[in-house]
């Protein structure tokens, strides 16, 4: 690793959890920094050898201690309910100037838990690259997954300024656009633009019955695409961001109830106005 933050190029990176996101970070960094060595920390090294054979990582190990030895960056890419404990474990196994970051889509619970460990606070910058797919597994990882996508960093009040700068530069190596928010702001916004939309997508998927299945078209497949995501992963997200998700669900339920009432009362004017407002918002993106 070079001394100047403006020239930060990690020589060794560890990915703890080599799935779609962790694997894509690995591929992106290997493309940006060809000389880097990326080690995957996996649950089963024999099975993990597949990721070496596919060119996702350079080596694999089951040991956090071995995988984190002399690395410049560790990316924790586990389910969100495991991130904080892994960050704390990694902090004990890494050198003093190592950057630890993550890819979790909830932040406040993680940051609060890590704040209880001074060694981890000195190394950790929470991150959420807003990119992904309903597909899972490192076999779907791509080097360009984060190109042009927002990467939200959510430092705590204790995060050292130099560490935050290093995290910004690391994530730029993946092609991401950096946005900084508080953990609370992140979770509130993500409940509305990601977490509740996933639940809404799942609710629409559950409307289909055997008699209507043959009538499914592109509109249904578009709106239910994210419902194909890993249920266990999404359960963990809901558990970690309950309060913000509950509030956004309340707002969604209120909006749906308004539509139901307009339908019942034949208030087509209000319904048309609501549809136009929604279209304007969608078209603005």
């Amino acid at each position: 690793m070079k001394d100047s933050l403006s020239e930060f190029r990690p020589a060794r990176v560890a990915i703890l959890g080599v799935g779609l996101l962790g694997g894509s970070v690995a591929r992106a960094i290997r493309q940006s920094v060809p000389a880097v060595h990326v080690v995957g920390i996996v649950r089963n090294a024999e099975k993990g050898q597949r990721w070496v054979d596919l060119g996702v990582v350079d080596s694999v190990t089951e040991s956090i201690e071995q995988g984190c030895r002399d690395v410049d960056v560790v990316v924790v890419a586990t389910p969100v309910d495991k991130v904080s404990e892994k960050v704390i474990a990694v902090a004990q196994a890494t050198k003093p100037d190592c950057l630890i970051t993550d890819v979790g889509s909830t932040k406040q619970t993680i940051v609060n838990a890590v704040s209880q460990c001074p060694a981890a606070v000195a190394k950790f910058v929470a991150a959420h690259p807003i990119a992904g797919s309903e597909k899972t597994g490192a076999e779907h990882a791509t080097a360009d997954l984060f190109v042009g996508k927002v990467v939200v960093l959510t430092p705590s009040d204790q995060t050292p300024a130099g560490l935050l700068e290093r995290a910004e530069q690391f994530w730029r190596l993946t092609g991401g656009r950096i946005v900084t928010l508080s953990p609370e702001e992140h979770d509130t916004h993500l409940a509305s633009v990601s977490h509740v939309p996933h639940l809404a997508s799942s609710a629409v998927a559950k409307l289909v019955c055997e008699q209507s299945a043959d009538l499914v078209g592109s509109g249904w497949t578009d709106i239910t695409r994210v419902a194909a995501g890993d249920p266990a992963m999404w359960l963990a997200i809901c558990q970690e961001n309950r309060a913000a998700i509950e509030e956004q669900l309340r707002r969604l339920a209120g909006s749906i109830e308004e539509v139901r009432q307009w339908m019942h009362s034949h208030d087509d004017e209000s319904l048309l106005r609501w549809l136009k407002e929604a279209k304007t918002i969608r078209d603005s993106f």
Side-chain angles (χ1 to χ4, degrees), residues 29 42 76 79 82 95 114 175 184 230 236 248 259 271 274:
I29 292 300
V42 297
V76 178
K82 303 295 183 184
K95 59 186 182 179
V114 171
E184 297 83 359
D230 179 10
Q248 294 301 325
V259 173
L271 179 57
W274 183 84

Side-chain angles (χ1 to χ4, degrees), residues 15-251:
I15 308 293
L16 201 168
V18 188
L20 173 68
L21 292 180
S24 293
V25 173
R27 285 193 180 277
I29 292 300
R30 295 182 78 200
Q31 180 171 279
S32 296
V33 188
V36 73
H37 181 94
V38 179
V39 55
I41 303 174
V42 297
R43 286 178 293 183
N44 185 304
E46 185 175 348
K47 292 181 179 178
Q49 182 61 36
R50 181 187 181 193
W51 310 135
V52 178
D53 297 340
L54 288 175
V56 178
V57 296
D58 297 292
S59 62
V60 293
T61 179
E62 298 174 18
S63 167
I64 288 179
E65 290 73 19
Q66 182 177 339
C68 292
R69 186 176 301 140
D70 296 325
V71 299
D72 302 311
V73 181
V74 179
V75 180
V76 178
T78 64
V80 291
D81 56 337
K82 303 295 183 184
V83 170
S84 58
E85 67 179 72
K86 297 301 183 184
V87 168
I88 292 170
V90 166
Q92 312 303 321
T94 47
K95 59 186 182 179
D97 63 345
C98 179
L99 164 68
I100 306 170
T101 188
D102 75 313
V103 300
S105 65
T106 65
K107 295 273 76 94
Q108 188 170 2
T109 301
I110 292 170
V111 172
N112 288 349
V114 171
S115 71
Q116 304 305 308
C117 175
V121 169
K123 300 178 181 181
F124 179 60
V125 178
H128 176 203
I130 303 180
S133 167
E134 71 279 7
K135 298 176 181 177
T136 59
E139 62 268 30
H140 301 294
T142 63
D144 62 354
L145 185 65
F146 310 112
V147 173
K149 303 295 178 58
V150 169
V151 178
V152 184
L153 302 185
T154 62
S156 72
D157 295 338
Q158 302 167 281
T159 303
L163 186 69
L164 177 58
E165 184 178 352
R166 184 174 296 173
E168 291 172 352
Q169 295 184 5
F170 173 78
W171 281 106
R172 286 194 186 102
L173 290 174
T174 70
R177 297 188 293 113
I178 308 302
V179 172
T180 302
L181 297 173
S182 71
E184 297 83 359
E185 289 172 326
H186 170 277
D187 285 4
T188 296
H189 294 316
L190 264 292
S192 65
V193 302
S194 176
H195 304 161
V196 167
H198 184 94
L199 296 176
S201 175
S202 298
V204 172
K206 286 174 64 62
L207 290 175
V208 172
C209 64
E210 184 178 351
Q211 291 74 21
S212 60
D214 288 341
L215 305 178
V216 163
S218 60
W220 186 90
T221 55
D222 286 346
I223 200 170
T224 60
R225 179 184 60 82
V226 295
D230 179 10
M233 180 189 77
W234 278 98
L235 173 61
I237 289 170
C238 291
Q239 291 170 330
E240 294 285 301
N241 199 23
R242 286 184 189 276
I245 290 173
E246 183 178 354
E247 171 58 21
Q248 294 301 325
L249 282 172
R250 184 191 64 77
R251 292 182 60 195

Side-chain angles (χ1 to χ4, degrees), residues 257-268 271:
E257 177 57 21
E258 279 189 322
V259 173
R260 191 197 65 78
Q261 291 178 4
W262 295 331
M263 293 289 293
H264 180 73
S265 63
H266 296 262
D267 188 352
D268 295 341
L271 179 57

